[in-house]
Amino acid sequence: MSDEPDHYFTANPASAAERRSLAVRLAGRDVEVEVASGIFSPGRLDLGTQVLLRTVPPLGDVLAARSAGSGAHVLDLGCGWGPVALTMALDAPDATVWAVDVNERALDLVRRNAERLGLTGVRAVTPDGVPDDVAFAALWSNPPIRVGKEALHEMLLRWLPRLAPGGVAHLVVQRNLGADSLQRWLVEHLEPVLPGAAVGRAASAKGFRVLEVTAPAG
Ligand SMILES: C[S@@+](CC[C@H](N)C(=O)[O-])C[C@H]1O[C@@H](n2cnc3c(N)ncnc32)[C@H](O)[C@@H]1O
């Protein structure tokens, strides 16, 4: 897999010559997206991302159950070219989907892909581009494990407390890259910043775990 740390910080938007099409199936639809080198998994839908997207409940249903349709905000943390954010937006076209990454090339591709698919609710921004008062009804992520534990933990402690009351986060992590120890770490460290949160495992498949964090109903 192409999850190398140098992809995270270096790339500028790709030129037309560098961009290419990729046919993928997202939210039950066959779509064409644009990808480029210098971002995570540009050649295919990453296996971990596939496991995540097969595990999460359809976002439209989640938001309908919360009566949070058009006003809802949701987050794809570490969006890459956007498979997770685009799936969220296809499932819940009235929601505001924050697609967050530190890689400008990835963000540019997400914007292009959202426009191509007519998904006007997608906001592709760097971490500081999300207004402080936004709380997320759902947070889906294939997080950048390879940035190292310290950076990963910092990132999770920054974003998980921003779940709305009753909001749910799903994080896919490779078992042999520390999914189980991350789950234990979350149980231990989330309480001070998100009191009453429940941490569990939603799925285990193909060498990946999908961890689930549920914020208290408030
Ligand atoms: C494992 S990749 C997943 C990409 C995409 N969601 C997918 O499924 O193909 C993790 C992503 O997190 C991004 N990332 C790294 N550090 C980050 C940070 N501090 N905040 C947000 N995203 C970050 C990387 O640039 C990379 O695109």
Side-chain angles (χ1 to χ4, degrees):
M1 89 185 186
S2 56
D3 185 12
E4 294 300 327
D6 58 337
H7 288 162
Y8 294 161
F9 309 110
T10 54
N12 295 316
S15 68
E18 291 169 300
R19 290 191 295 269
R20 59 197 160 71
S21 278
L22 179 69
V24 282
R25 193 164 175 83
L26 300 177
R29 278 175 52 179
D30 291 319
V31 297
E32 291 255 329
V33 295
E34 282 187 78
V35 294
S37 60
I39 62 163
F40 176 79
S41 196
R44 69 189 181 111
L45 195 57
D46 174 68
L47 185 57
T49 304
Q50 291 181 39
V51 170
L52 173 69
L53 293 177
R54 270 190 233 125
T55 301
V56 287
L59 190 61
D61 296 352
V62 172
L63 298 183
R66 293 169 53 85
S67 309
S70 57
H73 293 259
V74 298
L75 173 65
D76 170 9
L77 181 56
C79 58
W81 57 260
V84 175
L86 297 172
T87 299
M88 290 175 127
L90 287 163
D91 271 346
D94 293 334
T96 300
V97 178
W98 294 94
V100 169
D101 208 292
V102 291
N103 182 320
E104 291 289 350
R105 174 174 291 204
L107 293 172
D108 182 58
L109 289 164
V110 176
R111 290 182 199 114
R112 300 180 71 86
N113 288 328
E115 188 177 354
R116 179 187 264 244
L117 298 175
L119 300 170
T120 53
V122 176
R123 308 272 178 275
V125 296
T126 55
D128 289 341
V130 182
D132 289 341
D133 59 352
V134 169
F136 306 106
L139 185 169
W140 296 355
S141 181
N142 180 349
I145 300 299
R146 291 171 196 267
V147 292
K149 269 190 196 165
E150 199 180 327
L152 175 71
H153 291 169
E154 197 179 304
M155 189 172 154
L156 295 175
L157 291 181
R158 173 177 182 174
W159 293 101
L160 289 172
R162 295 189 59 175
L163 284 171
V168 183
H170 286 98
L171 314 168
V172 67
V173 181
Q174 215 169 312
R175 196 163 34 110
N176 64 14
L177 290 182
D180 295 341
S181 63
L182 182 63
Q183 182 174 344
R184 288 191 294 274
W185 183 88
L186 284 169
V187 169
E188 200 177 320
H189 291 85
L190 213 48
E191 183 61 24
V193 289
L194 189 60
V199 179
R201 186 196 294 164
S204 181
K206 299 188 186 294
F208 292 86
R209 310 281 205 221
V210 179
L211 307 183
E212 185 176 84
V213 176
T214 308

